[in-house]
Amino acid sequence: MPTQGFALFDTSIGRCGLAWGPSGLIGLQLPESTPGAAWARLRRRFPEAVESEPPPEVEMVIERIRDLLSGGRDDLTDVPLDLGGQSAFNLRVYEIARAVAPGETTTYGEVAKAMGEPGAARAVGKALGENPWPIVVPCHRVLSASGGIGGFSASGGGATKARLLTLEKAKTDAVPTLFDLEFSVAPPRRARVPSPLAGEGVAEGDG
């Protein structure tokens, strides 16, 4: 039996993909311009993965992602990830990003400060641009210091990031629309990020 698998699945934002292995998720693919393009990118990213039916634990993750992309509030923080091959710096960035709940935002600079490296905002942006698990590691919730969208490496760039933030804010008092968000967001509140003293765990933009 293959040790790695992948599958495409439909969501409110289009057809996403998920790849998994024995230690957890190895990657998530956001929609491309066509389903075929998403399939091809998954194959390039994970050449050892075989397209197959997701096992029950992965199917549960897929359903949770669907729910989040339909306006739910699941933070997905307990979803196991295969962290192999990631640098220590990137893992610290991803750990802090995972602590930002749906409907909240932080900035590249705030993540860097939480790491104890206040001058590393650009490096944080680069790490988020390399994030293998968008949505599960919510890089879209990290914005530029001005409140603007900042970069986003997925297909559609800033417009996709704005759409994700719109979906997550749909049940809050301040409901932005796609027209409000086009390419910048002024978040109503900032997330609390962990203190750098809390321990270590796990170019999008700047600031």
Side-chain angles (χ1 to χ4, degrees):
M1 295 180 63
T3 58
Q4 294 184 353
F6 77 91
L8 296 175
F9 58 98
D10 293 319
T11 74
S12 63
I13 65 170
R15 180 156 286 191
C16 295
L18 204 60
W20 61 87
S23 300
L25 301 187
I26 57 176
L28 191 146
Q29 176 65 44
L30 290 177
E32 294 284 335
S33 55
T34 66
W39 183 92
R41 186 178 288 272
L42 269 174
R43 292 290 295 136
R44 289 195 301 271
R45 290 177 63 193
F46 309 109
E48 297 181 10
V50 176
E51 187 172 18
S52 55
E53 287 293 321
E57 62 273 17
V58 174
E59 185 62 46
M60 185 177 296
V61 173
I62 289 174
E63 290 304 317
R64 292 173 66 184
I65 292 171
R66 284 191 176 118
D67 179 70
L68 177 63
L69 294 176
S70 296
R73 283 292 183 266
D74 191 339
D75 61 18
L76 305 175
T77 53
D78 61 332
V79 173
L81 305 177
D82 185 337
L83 304 177
Q86 300 296 321
S87 70
F89 182 90
N90 282 18
L91 290 176
R92 290 164 66 200
V93 172
Y94 300 156
E95 180 185 42
I96 293 169
R98 290 192 88 179
V100 184
E104 296 188 347
T105 60
T106 188
T107 68
Y108 304 110
E110 287 170 347
V111 172
K113 289 176 184 176
M115 296 171 64
E117 301 188 38
R122 289 187 179 275
V124 167
K126 181 177 182 295
L128 292 172
E130 297 168 352
N131 172 22
W133 312 278
I135 304 299
V136 178
V137 175
C139 48
H140 60 284
R141 297 177 195 151
V142 186
L143 311 178
S144 68
S146 65
I149 282 288
F152 199 53
S153 57
S155 178
T160 297
K161 191 171 184 176
R163 186 178 184 188
L164 292 171
L165 291 168
T166 301
L167 289 169
E168 293 187 354
K169 292 174 183 290
K171 294 185 179 180
T172 64
D173 292 334
V175 182
T177 69
L178 288 175
F179 301 101
D180 297 325
L181 282 169
E182 289 183 325
F183 295 102
S184 65
V185 172
R189 55 178 175 159
R190 298 292 188 196
R192 293 180 180 178
V193 295
S195 164
L197 299 178
E200 296 180 4
V202 291
E204 271 210 348
D206 57 21

